[in-house]
Amino acid sequence: MSFWRKKEHHTAGQVDFDRLPRHIAIIMDGNGRWAKQRGLPRSAGHKVGAETFRTIANYCKKIGVEYLTVYAFSTENWKRPADEVNTIMTLLKKYLLEAIDTMERDQKGLEFLGDLSAVTPELQELIAQTHEISKRIHGFQANICLNYGGRNEIVSAAKAFAQDCRDGKCTPEALDEKAFSSYMYTGEMPDPDLIIRPGGEMRLSNFLLWQCAYAEFYSCDTLWPDFKEKDLDQAILAYQNRDRRFGGIK
Ligand code: FPP
């Protein structure tokens, strides 16, 4: 086993709930393989994956993680078969309808990040409704990345900044990292502290490229539909055992 593949999910100890990551990002990978292992269509993996998202979002809120950002659909995922794309969009619609009814009661904010102009007007309308409700919610927020690509996000931010310069709202000299961050879909949110990739791959796959500059990366072999609260605990524990230096020395 190489250094980079060392298995951290056997890390001993207890999660320190006073030292949690504020923001966790997850690449929800392995739905297709989970379904294949069971002789089921890929859509079955996405359905269970959506349930896993509910479980993990509830758990994050319960323990005090403030932001959970998940990768649901990339700008490249349109290349998948139409029925798979439809399944994912239908699961998102179902989740949006549920959220509109329950998010205020449960105090769970929900935002969608990505180029939303490409999704159906119906989904756009539901997303706009959850956005309005989210403005009144503080403490926990789930972000679902939809038609999202990290490079695309950076290019969109650069275009928006250039337009603001053209409109006389800012100048190139005034731009710094904090100001540029405000042009990202994540706006004023804190950057992810921890990025988790279930399913065993060790790639970022164009996810939160700007925001994850200093995030700790954690990968585990568990496929997303099998990912449970205890797996999140293991990821948090690994994160808490890392030595975060942000480029400095200790
Ligand atoms: C990657 O696994 C997963 C996706 C491209 C889709 C993820 C979407 C969901 C979990 C449903 C979203 C709904 C809600 C409510 C959040 P893969 O299919 O590429 O897995 P594989 O690598 O095993 O083929």
Side-chain angles (χ1 to χ4, degrees):
M1 192 185 301
S2 78
F3 171 78
W4 296 106
R5 298 287 296 174
K6 77 177 173 183
K7 296 284 190 285
E8 284 181 307
H9 50 277
H10 298 304
T11 312
Q14 294 279 317
V15 170
D16 178 351
F17 291 102
D18 293 326
R19 222 164 41 86
L20 289 170
R22 289 185 72 191
H23 187 170
I24 295 179
I26 303 183
I27 300 173
M28 304 187 290
D29 196 19
N31 296 346
R33 278 166 283 164
W34 183 93
K36 195 172 173 206
Q37 284 170 4
R38 287 160 181 77
L40 297 169
R42 294 177 59 83
S43 58
H46 296 315
K47 280 179 195 150
V48 180
E51 285 306 319
T52 302
F53 166 71
R54 283 183 180 80
T55 305
I56 295 301
N58 288 340
Y59 186 60
C60 283
K61 178 176 187 321
K62 183 175 143 196
I63 63 177
V65 171
E66 293 167 70
Y67 296 91
L68 171 68
T69 301
V70 295
Y71 206 178
F73 196 87
S74 75
T75 44
E76 286 73 42
N77 285 152
W78 298 106
K79 292 180 212 148
R80 295 194 177 204
D83 67 329
E84 185 171 344
V85 172
N86 286 339
T87 297
I88 296 171
M89 296 301 160
T90 304
L91 289 167
L92 291 170
K93 180 181 160 189
K94 185 165 173 255
Y95 188 74
L96 275 157
L97 289 168
E98 262 172 50
I100 287 165
D101 281 347
T102 58
M103 57 197 283
E104 197 136 34
R105 181 197 72 200
D106 297 343
Q107 285 296 293
K108 285 196 298 196
L110 177 66
E111 297 284 1
F112 278 70
L113 314 182
D115 176 4
L116 303 174
S117 65
V119 303
T120 62
E122 186 190 26
L123 272 188
Q124 287 186 42
E125 170 55 29
L126 295 173
I127 290 168
Q129 284 185 46
T130 56
H131 174 65
E132 283 309 309
I133 304 171
S134 285
K135 287 182 190 166
R136 304 193 287 272
I137 297 174
H138 304 283
F140 175 75
Q141 181 173 307
N143 301 310
I144 297 182
C145 293
L146 173 58
N147 194 29
Y148 176 87
R151 285 187 170 184
N152 184 270
E153 179 184 30
I154 294 168
V155 170
S156 299
K159 280 186 182 164
F161 171 71
Q163 187 61 50
D164 277 356
C165 288
R166 191 189 267 162
D167 294 345
K169 293 183 192 158
C170 51
T171 60
E173 295 70 30
L175 188 68
D176 58 15
E177 291 183 10
K178 188 168 184 297
F180 196 61
S181 289
S182 70
Y183 286 91
M184 298 290 158
Y185 297 127
T186 38
E188 307 300 325
M189 291 176 218
D191 285 340
D193 305 290
L194 169 63
I195 174 167
I196 302 172
R197 183 161 192 155
E201 305 288 357
M202 305 288 271
R203 288 188 287 276
L204 279 178
S205 297
N206 204 14
F207 189 43
L208 301 176
L209 296 181
W210 172 266
Q211 297 87 340
C212 282
Y214 288 103
E216 295 293 329
F217 186 82
Y218 177 88
S219 160
C220 61
D221 290 335
T222 308
L223 303 175
W224 177 245
D226 286 330
F227 196 90
K228 301 279 184 296
E229 292 95 329
K230 66 174 172 44
D231 298 297
L232 191 75
D233 281 347
Q234 287 302 321
I236 295 174
L237 202 49
Y239 160 83
Q240 290 179 337
N241 283 319
R242 303 269 180 90
D243 182 15
R244 296 186 89 194
R245 290 191 296 273
F246 299 96
I249 51 170
K250 274 190 183 166

